[in-house]
């Protein structure tokens, strides 16, 4: 629903599929473009905006200029009018640049991102988390850490070959290619894979919904494929049932020619915090952007000391979302991610031990808390959907030169000033680089806090595949019909009910992701029913 075009050992083995899979620098990969050099002025209208911090590092300072913008636009040249509206140096952020001696500094806007992505490739998720905790001086016992996410693979399932007989089945790293033969699937870059068949290395690339092999063979998805749920990838101890137990399911919809574009992750450190994230991709490569986001955002947040002390969390979340968007931009510039016309929503919830929730989101993957007040089921939506019809969002889009138009069906959509573009029906997103440049979309999240009360039973993070045709109270009511021991059945029934409504009212079914977190496991609706409740 996002856009309309034109308008452990086993842990170590699996870890290569966690973080990024986007950029591998080394002798086997060549650089595809020169670094993008931009310029920043030391002063604007006579007021200093860059404060040197030592070496080649500068802080973006607004104390003298007192401008109402988010920061300073980079310049394409040493001309104050030659603005690069797509790239902003935000106030109080830091940049590395070389003083050119004429009132300007030159910046390689991709250098930091490339270094970060390269380092990210070298670590498993547990190593990343462990390193972050060590740097912050916190206990680092791996026995109290857990990271679980949806699979980043877009190729699991049954395939039909045009050139070779026999069923092809891809399940994680394992490939069965007929007559009882099997081999190992090796990832070789974004959407690129290889297998060894009889000592010969065959390579393939996922294009749209087909695997195109270097020997001319093409595999297409078997229409009889019944798998709809993305597999989970798990690192660390099984902490799912400690503190706030949770379950998560991620179902593919019926969007023609598209893989499952949803993604999610959970990071948990026992007695410290839990971090839940969910992403809903849109556009032709939205699944890649969503997978990238769920791999990277937990890492960015875990490395920030403010996350662990629950201080300045609005700045923490905002900085992480902005940095994530810049990493998507850098990956796109180096042809490792196609995000010009593709992007994703993003919602993150930090659950502190004191029962306080800290939320940040862009787009329309909503977060709902629900429970019981006496016999009555209650539901509170903790996020608002970032839609063009919201007055404050509309004002920003129009002020930025964007155009808002009704699509003739049910949504208002955003285009550039000439009436062209992706036609997004949201005003904030990650990726969507052309729309960010032309229409005023931003990646800044909207943040809020919420103190859980004694009546709050469940927390739901769901992609809009749930909320398109289901009200929050209906979703909470359905989940609370099941005891905690049947949490998976509750999540599946929520998905099935949403699918039934999609079939009745829409031409296709959107991808659907549900994360259910049980907040007060001892207080269940079943107990209320036993005492005569609803």
């Amino acid at each position: 629903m996002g856009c309309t075009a034109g308008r452990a050992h086993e842990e170590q083995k699996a870890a290569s599929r966690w973080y990024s899979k986007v950029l591998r620098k080394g002798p086997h990969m060549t650089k595809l473009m020169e670094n993008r050099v931009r310029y920043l002025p030391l002063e604007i209208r006579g007021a200093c905006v860059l404060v040197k911090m030592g070496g080649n590092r500068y802080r973006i300072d607004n104390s003298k200029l007192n401008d109402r913008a988010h920061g300073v636009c980079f310049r394409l040249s040493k001309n104050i009018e030659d603005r690069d509206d797509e790239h902003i140096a935000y106030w109080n952020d830091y940049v590395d640049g070389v003083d050119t001696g004429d009132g300007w500094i030159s910046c390689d806007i991709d250098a930091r991102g490339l270094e970060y992505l390269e380092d990210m490739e070298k670590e498993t998720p547990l190593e990343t988390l462990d390193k972050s905790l060590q740097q912050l001086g916190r206990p680092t016992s791996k026995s109290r850490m857990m990271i679980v996410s949806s699979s980043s693979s877009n190729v699991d399932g049954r395939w039909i070959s045009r050139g070779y007989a026999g069923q092809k089945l891809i399940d994680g790293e394992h490939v069965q290619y007929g007559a009882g033969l099997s081999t190992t699937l090796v990832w070789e870059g974004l959407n690129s894979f290889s297998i060894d068949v009889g000592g010969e290395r065959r390579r393939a690339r996922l294009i749209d919904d087909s695997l195109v092999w270097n020997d001319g063979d093409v595999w297409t998805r078997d229409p009889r494929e019944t798998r709809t749920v993305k597999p989970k990838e798990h690192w660390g101890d099984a902490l799912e049932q400690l503190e706030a137990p949770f379950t998560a399911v991620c179902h593919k919809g019926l969007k023609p020619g598209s893989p499952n574009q949803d993604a999610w992750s959970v990071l948990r450190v026992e007695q410290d915090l839990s971090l839940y994230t969910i992403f809903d991709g849109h556009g032709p490569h939205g699944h890649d952007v969503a997978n990238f986001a769920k791999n990277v955002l937990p890492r960015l947040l875990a490395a920030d000391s403010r996350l662990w002390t629950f201080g300045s969390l609005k700045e923490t979340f905002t900085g992480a979302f902005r940095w994530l968007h810049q990493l998507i931009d850098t990956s796109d510039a180096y042809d490792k991610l196609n995000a010009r016309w593709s992007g994703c929503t993003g919602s993150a919830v930090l659950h502190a031990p004191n029962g306080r929730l800290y939320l940040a989101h862009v787009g329309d993957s909503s977060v709902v808390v629900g429970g019981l007040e006496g016999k009555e089921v209650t539901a509170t939506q903790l996020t608002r959907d970032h839609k063009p019809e919201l007055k404050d969002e509309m004002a920003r889009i129009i002020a930025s030169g964007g155009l808002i138009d009704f699509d003739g069906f049910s949504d208002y959509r955003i285009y550039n000033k000439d009436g062209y573009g992706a036609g997004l029906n949201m005003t904030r997103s990650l990726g969507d680089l052309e729309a960010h440049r032309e229409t005023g979309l931003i990646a800044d999240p909207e943040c809020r806090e919420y103190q859980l009360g004694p009546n709050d039973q469940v927390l739901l993070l769901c992609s809009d595949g749930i909320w398109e045709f289901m009200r929050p109270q209906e979703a909470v009511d359905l989940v609370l019909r099941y005891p905690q021991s049947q949490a998976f059945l509750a999540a599946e029934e929520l998905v099935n009910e949403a699918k039934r409504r999609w079939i009745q009212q829409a031409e296709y079914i959107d991808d659907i992701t549900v994360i259910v977190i049980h907040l007060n496991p001892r207080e269940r609706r079943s107990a209320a029913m036993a005492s005569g409740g609803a």
Side-chain angles (χ1 to χ4, degrees):
M1 302 298 290
C3 65
T4 56
R7 275 285 246 178
H9 295 298
E10 291 301 316
E11 295 172 5
Q12 297 294 328
K13 287 176 61 179
S16 64
R17 301 176 68 184
W18 168 257
Y19 280 127
S20 156
K21 307 186 191 174
V22 175
L23 182 70
R24 288 179 182 267
K25 291 174 65 180
H28 63 293
M29 293 194 69
T30 58
K31 190 173 173 180
L32 299 178
M33 62 174 291
E34 291 299 320
N35 289 15
R36 293 183 292 176
V37 175
R38 298 291 188 270
Y39 298 90
L40 285 174
L42 293 170
E43 294 183 354
I44 294 180
R45 298 193 295 273
C48 175
V49 294
L50 295 183
V51 177
K52 191 165 186 176
M53 306 302 294
N56 290 327
R57 173 144 292 197
Y58 296 81
R59 181 172 59 84
I60 317 302
D61 181 68
N62 194 33
S63 61
K64 300 290 193 301
L65 186 63
N66 292 317
D67 196 275
R68 289 184 296 177
H70 292 302
V72 180
C73 284
F74 285 91
R75 265 55 178 185
L76 297 167
S77 67
K78 295 179 184 180
N79 181 342
I80 201 69
E81 303 301 328
D82 197 8
R83 293 158 50 104
D84 179 359
D85 293 320
E86 190 175 356
H87 299 102
I88 299 175
Y90 294 98
W91 301 128
N92 296 318
D93 202 354
Y94 296 86
V95 296
D96 293 322
V98 178
D99 191 339
T100 61
D102 52 3
W104 293 85
I105 68 169
S106 64
C107 307
D108 175 1
I109 62 173
D110 292 314
R112 179 184 171 209
L114 290 173
E115 181 179 359
Y116 187 91
L117 291 170
E118 183 179 11
D119 290 342
M120 191 168 61
E121 281 287 318
K122 301 173 183 176
E123 296 177 341
T124 70
L126 289 182
E127 289 171 342
T128 300
L129 183 57
D130 180 70
K131 184 176 75 173
S132 296
L133 292 176
Q134 286 185 34
Q135 292 173 344
L136 299 172
R138 303 185 68 87
T140 59
S141 171
K142 288 187 174 63
S143 64
R144 67 188 194 99
M145 301 180 189
M146 180 201 71
I147 299 174
V148 60
S149 75
S150 58
S151 171
S152 291
S153 173
N154 296 317
V155 296
D156 288 329
R158 295 191 302 181
W159 298 79
I160 296 175
S161 166
R162 292 183 185 175
Y164 302 93
Q167 178 179 321
K168 322 298 178 185
L169 177 64
I170 300 177
D171 184 8
E173 298 177 345
H174 307 288
V175 182
Q176 296 178 4
Y177 57 93
L181 300 175
S182 63
T183 187
T184 300
L185 184 74
V186 178
W187 178 83
E188 293 192 344
L190 191 62
N191 283 337
S192 295
F193 309 87
S194 69
I195 59 176
D196 188 287
V197 179
E200 178 183 353
R201 179 62 56 181
R202 297 180 61 202
R203 290 179 169 80
R205 185 169 180 82
L206 183 65
I207 301 176
D208 294 328
D209 211 27
S210 299
L211 279 171
V212 180
W213 296 87
N214 62 335
D215 62 356
D217 192 16
V218 177
W219 293 6
T220 56
R221 293 190 188 272
D222 190 335
R224 298 168 297 173
E225 174 62 64
T226 59
R227 299 186 189 192
T228 61
V229 183
K230 267 191 177 181
K232 295 180 182 179
E233 297 177 349
H234 198 296
W235 298 267
D237 275 19
L239 304 178
E240 289 94 333
Q241 300 307 316
L242 292 179
E243 297 168 358
F246 72 90
T247 188
V249 293
C250 185
H251 281 245
K252 185 183 184 308
L254 296 178
K255 294 187 292 186
S258 173
N260 190 334
Q261 295 194 300
D262 284 2
W264 61 270
S265 73
V266 175
L267 180 153
R268 177 165 287 180
V269 179
E270 187 179 358
Q271 298 180 348
D272 270 350
L273 56 80
S274 295
L275 177 67
Y276 309 99
T277 69
I278 185 171
F279 305 91
D280 181 357
H282 51 255
H285 303 281
H287 45 286
D288 295 327
V289 180
N291 282 328
F292 182 91
K294 65 92 177 171
N295 289 336
V296 175
L297 185 62
R299 175 188 176 108
L300 298 177
L301 290 169
D304 193 318
S305 61
R306 296 173 297 184
L307 186 84
W308 302 90
T309 58
F310 311 109
S312 304
L313 284 174
K314 180 177 180 179
E315 292 79 6
T316 301
F317 278 119
T318 300
F321 273 69
R322 287 174 174 175
W323 185 206
L324 171 58
H325 183 74
Q326 177 58 41
L327 289 170
I328 292 171
D329 185 5
T330 295
S331 299
D332 176 271
Y334 280 75
D335 201 28
K336 301 304 170 188
L337 195 66
N338 192 333
R340 304 311 298 177
W341 300 99
S342 300
C344 69
T345 68
S347 297
V349 178
L350 176 65
H351 188 185
N354 63 0
R356 197 159 189 81
L357 303 179
Y358 302 87
L359 303 95
H361 82 291
V362 296
D364 57 5
S365 291
S366 299
V367 180
V368 169
V369 66
L372 289 170
E373 290 186 5
K375 301 177 182 179
E376 183 179 353
V377 174
T378 63
T380 302
Q381 185 168 335
L382 302 181
T383 56
R384 64 167 185 163
D385 294 346
H386 292 135
K387 295 297 186 180
E389 53 265 37
L390 295 175
K391 289 185 178 179
D392 56 333
E393 298 292 291
M394 179 186 295
R396 188 190 70 251
I397 295 298
I398 294 175
S400 301
L403 174 68
I404 297 174
D405 196 8
F406 188 64
D407 64 7
F409 296 96
S410 60
D411 293 312
Y412 286 89
R413 297 185 179 273
I414 301 171
Y415 303 93
N416 65 18
K417 60 183 177 59
D418 297 317
Y420 294 94
L424 289 168
N425 67 340
M426 64 190 71
T427 56
R428 306 191 192 197
S429 71
L430 298 161
D432 297 308
L433 301 178
E434 289 292 339
H436 276 255
R437 180 174 62 87
E438 294 187 330
T439 67
L441 259 73
I442 58 174
D444 287 14
E446 190 168 2
C447 304
R448 69 166 294 185
E449 299 181 16
Y450 179 84
Q451 181 62 54
L452 293 170
N455 296 322
D456 292 324
Q457 299 289 316
V458 292
L459 179 69
L460 305 180
L461 281 76
C462 305
S463 59
D464 72 337
I466 288 290
W467 308 121
E468 190 76 16
F469 299 114
M470 187 174 292
R471 293 181 293 109
Q473 186 160 357
E474 292 178 297
V476 170
D477 178 73
L478 190 153
V479 169
L480 289 181
R481 294 176 189 175
Y482 291 81
Q484 179 191 321
S485 60
Q486 297 179 2
F488 180 78
L489 294 179
E492 287 287 321
E493 179 56 29
L494 187 58
V495 170
N496 291 334
E497 177 60 25
K499 284 185 174 182
R500 283 192 287 268
R501 299 188 185 193
W502 271 97
I503 291 172
Q504 293 170 359
Q505 303 180 50
E507 295 181 1
Y508 67 90
I509 299 174
D510 202 358
D511 303 325
I512 300 176
T513 299
V514 173
I515 304 179
V516 180
I517 301 101
H518 298 277
L519 302 169
N520 294 308
R522 296 181 181 179
E523 300 178 22
R524 303 300 302 158
R525 189 182 183 198
S526 55
M529 294 176 65
S531 60

